[in-house]
């Protein structure tokens, strides 16, 4: 399958990123299927969301896929996955309030946590199936109006599932279930194609690097210098 080069030295292969999405979503599904009723109500670092609400947000960001694929494809892609996370109105207080409400509304639609875990599985599996029949050069328009290659948009969905998977694991007091495929995909987005060597220089696991690079763990002064030297792309995250 052909590859497209977007900005910021990031090459995204649609088959590879879709496989990363599938593996990470499967891991999250498995983790959520094991929760007790009390687990679903635990608070997360993504205030004011509970575990249930945060999974609602992950559902919402995947729910956009079918409608995007049903809509006419834009003529040309305009932005990359890294550029999708630029700090504009999409991360304003007004948009964040809407994001919070959408997640809570999505989470409230199931009878209980176990039913919602099954709902999440159905949502990502539907998106996965629809994406697997698309051409490598398929373009989509996001709800923010951005024209992107589907492969680049899918990479942003890997970010959402992987990073919020870390948030959920922390809220539950569990070992992170980050998959190698998703860890590599998000690390490459943040550092470029030489990501493996770059992270090895730090001596960090993928999990620790992603926590640091997305604000889940603070960087001390020495670590900040190290990460900046690697040329990390800081993403605006709501």
């Amino acid at each position: 399958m052909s590859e497209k080069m977007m900005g910021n030295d990031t090459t995204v292969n649609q088959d590879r990123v879709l496989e990363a999405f599938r593996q990470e979503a499967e891991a999250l599904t498995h983790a959520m299927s094991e929760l007790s009723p009390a687990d679903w109500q635990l608070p997360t670092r993504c205030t004011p969301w509970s575990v249930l609400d945060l999974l609602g947000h992950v559902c919402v960001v995947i729910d956009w896929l079918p409608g995007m694929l049903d809509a006419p494809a834009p003529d040309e892609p305009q932005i990359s996955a890294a550029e999708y996370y630029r700090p504009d109105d999409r991360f304003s207080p007004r948009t964040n309030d809407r994001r919070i409400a959408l997640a809570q509304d999505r989470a409230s639609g199931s009878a209980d946590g176990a039913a919602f875990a099954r709902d999440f599985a159905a949502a990502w599996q539907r998106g996965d199936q629809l994406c697997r029949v698309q051409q490598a050069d398929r373009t989509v328009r996001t709800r923010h109006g951005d024209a992107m290659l589907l492969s680049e948009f899918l990479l942003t969905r890997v970010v959402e599932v992987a990073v919020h998977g870390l948030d959920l694991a922390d809220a539950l007091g569990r070992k992170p279930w980050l998959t190698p495929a998703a860890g590599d995909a998000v690390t490459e987005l943040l550092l470029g194609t030489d990501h493996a060597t770059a992270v090895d220089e730090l001596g960090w696991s993928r999990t620790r690097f992603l926590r640091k690079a997305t604000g889940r763990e603070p960087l001390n002064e020495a670590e900040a210098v190290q990460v900046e030297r690697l040329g990390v792309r800081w993403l605006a995250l709501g």
Side-chain angles (χ1 to χ4, degrees), residues 4-169:
K4 293 285 183 177
M5 177 68 73
M6 295 296 290
N8 300 320
D9 193 33
T10 299
T11 302
V12 178
N13 176 278
Q14 188 159 297
D15 284 345
R16 178 182 169 221
V17 73
L18 193 52
E19 183 61 17
F21 172 76
R22 182 190 66 77
Q23 290 185 25
E24 192 65 13
E26 279 188 342
L28 178 53
T29 298
H30 178 72
M32 296 297 99
S33 69
E34 298 179 334
L35 301 191
S36 70
D39 288 336
W40 289 102
Q41 303 308 316
L42 290 171
T44 71
R45 64 165 57 91
C46 302
T47 307
W49 286 331
S50 64
V51 167
L52 182 69
D53 296 332
L54 184 49
L55 186 63
H57 170 67
V58 179
C59 279
V60 168
V61 303
I62 293 172
D63 286 342
W64 300 118
L65 276 166
M68 292 167 65
L69 293 171
D70 281 343
D75 291 335
E76 294 290 338
Q78 297 172 334
I79 67 165
S80 67
E83 292 162 336
Y84 175 86
Y85 288 104
R86 61 190 184 274
D88 60 12
D89 183 64
R90 73 196 61 204
F91 298 110
S92 69
R94 177 178 59 84
T95 306
N96 276 334
D97 287 346
R98 176 63 173 158
R99 186 177 290 116
I100 289 168
L102 282 172
Q104 292 173 331
D105 183 65
R106 184 69 167 84
S108 68
S110 296
D112 54 32
F116 194 41
R118 294 191 294 271
D119 190 8
F120 167 68
W124 76 256
Q125 288 166 4
R126 182 187 179 205
D128 177 72
Q129 291 168 359
L130 291 172
C131 290
R132 288 189 183 276
V133 299
Q134 303 299 317
Q135 296 296 318
D137 60 354
R138 177 66 155 90
T139 56
V140 294
R141 191 171 301 281
T142 74
R143 71 187 183 96
H144 303 292
D146 297 319
M148 303 178 70
L149 282 169
L150 174 60
S151 57
E152 294 279 342
F153 182 73
L154 283 171
L155 181 52
T156 69
R157 301 309 88 176
V158 176
V159 172
E160 298 289 334
V161 179
V163 172
H164 287 311
L166 295 179
D167 296 330
L168 288 164

Side-chain angles (χ1 to χ4, degrees), residues 164-204:
H164 287 311
L166 295 179
D167 296 330
L168 288 164
D170 289 348
L172 294 163
R174 299 192 179 188
K175 181 179 178 181
W177 48 79
L178 180 72
T179 61
D184 285 350
V186 182
T187 300
E188 185 169 330
L189 170 64
L190 294 168
L191 289 177
T193 54
D194 294 332
H195 65 290
T197 301
V199 175
D200 288 344
E201 291 176 7
L202 293 173
W204 293 352

